Amino acid sequence: GTQGGDEGKGEVVDWLTDHAQGVVRFQGGHNAGHTLVIKGVKTALQLIPSGIVRERVAGYVGNGVVVDPAHLVLEIERLEKIGLDVRSRLFVSEACPLILPLHVEVDRAREALRESSGSGKIGTTGKGIGPAYEDKVARRALRVQDLKHPQRFAEKLRALLELHNEALTGHLRAKALAFEPLRDATLALGEQLAPMFADVGYRLHQAHQAGANLLFEGAQGTLLDIDHGTYPYVTSSNCVAGNAAAGAGVGPDQLHYILGITKAYTTRVGGGPFPTELPMDQPGSVGHHLSSVGQERGTVTGRARRCGWLDAAALKRSAIINGLSGLCITKLDVLDTFAEIPVGTDYALDGDPCQEMPSDIRTLERVTPRYEVLPGWRKPTTGARKLADLPPEARAYLDRLQDLSGAPIRFVSVGTRRDQI
Ligand code: IMP
Ligand code: MG
């Protein structure tokens, strides 16, 4: 993801999986999500890699992912209901930190506190992602492997719960969680999931040796990266391509092609600076059109996504930080009806040009985008199947994005179906 998430990664991963034997998640958790229509049934994938939809493909949840066992069971069952066999093809790293109900409580209580104290919400998905990563970094997290050892699990949980209950009943003004029901429920989930626990790094090595093509599926996007994003309006993991190695247990030189997914315009869900943002409330306005035609509503939280024109300065920064080999532009068709399409090329800051995207959000909040206006094509592109099918103005738009971002465009999508990439 080269933007703020929701670039359409799921669709592209699904399509590319035609050529893969394994799909790997390496960061994030079930804060991610995309809707897929499988065997005529609409379902959302959040934690399980998208490749699972193809019956000969294995799914790997790498050590960099935070795993909520209750959610994982739910997601497996959702897929089983559609008739997909998941348990024999899914491998979950034993090193994944667990998300427990206490993390969800802390996440939500903190957001409520930020809001009531006027310091401004992050706008998290409320899934406990941040608090679970905090425990990982603080070296006190319960990990998937602990589920196999009830005694050890209970001891670690007791200490962790004590710590968080203190915060919950103290400054977070929320309720404490009881130890025993939490222990019993989590261990029961662990028993169910245990056959899928694996040393994912080693398994990937074996698959690679056996000649498998492996696809690493990022979640969220570069602007939400804990280090490179619009801190503190970010998620709590590294979303950049480089983390595919550390978050799955493979060497960086084994990542052969880095494909950046970019929407033909920009969206963002949650708080944080967004220079090219457009007002969305007026029917007939550009923002309203992007939101409604693009169906810009969050998969996980159902929130309306903020919308705006493409920010090519942000995209260029993303291309550099991720070391993109190529770009896939998604949802080009959403721009089909516009007479003119502005692209943010860089910014103005206090009246002076500012070519690079500032990394300090206080500065980023003060910039105004400078636009280059390109002619629209005003023709449907949804039927295009090759580059030559696109109107010349659409090709000119893509050429310009390629120039501005510095990354070659490899794929373009003009709809949600597999044949529309
Ligand atoms: P968290 O990951 O739930 O802590 O949320 C932190 C920020 O990341 C919020 O602004 C969320 O809206 C955003 N976020 C997290 N996951 C996604 C995603 O998959 N797509 C888009 N935004 C996301
Ligand atoms: Mg999404």
Side-chain angles (χ1 to χ4, degrees):
T2 60
Q3 299 167 309
D6 305 313
E7 298 90 349
K9 295 180 289 292
E11 263 158 58
V12 180
V13 168
D14 173 55
W15 179 71
L16 286 172
T17 302
D18 247 354
H19 310 279
Q21 288 76 47
V23 181
V24 190
R25 278 282 304 271
F26 55 89
Q27 47 78 222
H30 64 305
N31 49 348
H34 73 102
T35 312
L36 275 182
V37 180
I38 307 165
K39 301 182 183 179
V41 185
K42 222 179 184 184
T43 187
L45 285 174
Q46 291 176 244
L47 186 59
I48 299 177
S50 310
I52 209 78
V53 177
R54 316 244 179 171
E55 270 156 5
R56 45 167 195 82
V57 174
Y60 301 89
V61 176
N63 55 276
V65 176
V66 279
V67 172
D68 180 332
H71 173 85
L72 182 54
V73 166
L74 208 95
E75 200 172 316
I76 291 171
E77 286 173 352
R78 267 194 332 227
L79 293 172
E80 284 174 340
K81 256 195 211 129
I82 307 171
L84 282 175
D85 167 44
V86 179
R87 291 172 208 251
S88 66
R89 299 180 288 130
L90 183 65
F91 303 96
V92 180
S93 168
E94 299 203 330
C96 293
L98 296 180
I99 303 180
L100 299 171
L102 61 98
H103 296 115
V104 177
E105 288 300 319
V106 171
D107 192 0
R108 294 183 183 172
R110 284 220 194 106
E111 283 284 80
L113 193 65
R114 280 187 201 107
E115 189 163 40
S116 64
S117 72
S119 62
K121 292 204 298 184
I122 304 282
T124 73
T125 60
K127 302 292 180 194
I129 304 292
Y133 276 118
E134 284 169 38
D135 280 345
K136 163 181 166 166
V137 176
R139 296 171 290 195
R140 59 176 178 239
L142 285 143
R143 309 214 294 182
V144 161
Q145 59 204 180
D146 294 323
L147 290 168
K148 298 199 301 192
H149 307 282
Q151 189 59 35
R152 175 166 109 192
F153 180 86
E155 280 162 25
K156 287 181 74 174
L157 179 65
R158 195 182 286 282
L160 192 71
L161 193 57
E162 207 170 292
L163 183 87
H164 288 291
N165 273 345
E166 213 168 281
L168 281 168
T169 55
H171 74 283
L172 291 176
R173 289 174 233 146
K175 279 205 297 255
L177 276 85
F179 169 72
E180 277 172 16
L182 180 57
R183 176 198 59 195
D184 296 346
T186 313
L187 285 172
L189 292 164
E191 227 169 274
Q192 232 201 100
L193 294 169
M196 287 167 269
F197 298 165
D199 182 340
V200 165
Y202 194 68
R203 273 195 176 267
L204 293 176
H205 170 73
Q206 286 178 316
H208 178 64
Q209 296 251 301
N213 284 324
L214 299 170
L215 188 61
F216 295 79
E217 174 183 17
Q220 290 84 48
T222 305
L223 292 178
L224 293 172
D225 182 280
I226 184 76
D227 292 300
H228 302 286
T230 49
Y231 192 89
Y233 296 98
V234 292
T235 190
S236 298
S237 63
N238 284 113
C239 315
V240 292
N243 194 30
V250 304
D253 73 342
Q254 287 175 298
L255 307 173
H256 294 301
Y257 191 93
I258 315 291
L259 182 66
I261 318 289
T262 304
K263 214 179 272 189
Y265 49 99
T266 308
T267 64
R268 174 161 200 156
V269 47
F274 181 172
T276 62
E277 182 170 17
L278 295 163
M280 282 166 32
D281 32 7
Q282 285 297 327
S285 69
V286 169
H288 189 269
H289 178 97
L290 291 175
S291 167
S292 55
V293 178
Q295 299 184 14
E296 298 297 351
R297 201 158 272 287
T299 307
V300 174
T301 58
R303 292 178 288 178
R305 296 178 185 137
R306 301 153 67 193
C307 296
W309 296 118
L310 193 101
D311 182 340
L315 181 57
K316 183 179 86 177
R317 186 167 176 277
S318 230
I320 293 168
I321 289 168
N322 288 287
L324 295 186
S325 318
L327 273 175
C328 172
I329 306 293
T330 60
K331 297 183 107 166
L332 184 70
D333 56 298
V334 174
L335 304 181
D336 280 353
T337 55
F338 292 111
E340 291 184 328
I341 305 176
V343 180
T345 52
D346 53 8
Y347 314 100
L349 179 63
D350 304 329
D352 294 321
C354 168
Q355 243 113 47
E356 311 299 337
M357 181 183 175
S359 66
D360 181 340
I361 65 153
R362 287 292 154 81
T363 313
L364 187 60
E365 277 160 355
R366 290 195 296 120
V367 303
T368 44
R370 302 204 302 176
Y371 290 105
E372 185 176 303
V373 179
L374 299 176
W377 42 93
R378 287 190 284 180
K379 285 187 195 80
T381 56
T382 48
R385 294 297 175 266
K386 54 186 190 299
L387 195 56
D389 295 341
L390 289 176
E393 295 85 356
R395 294 184 60 172
Y397 182 69
L398 295 172
D399 284 344
R400 194 65 187 117
L401 297 193
Q402 185 163 269
D403 288 347
L404 289 167
S405 68
I409 296 175
R410 184 71 191 273
F411 307 111
V412 177
S413 95
V414 290
T416 56
R417 292 199 317 268
R418 283 176 184 169
D419 66 342
Q420 287 176 304
I421 299 182

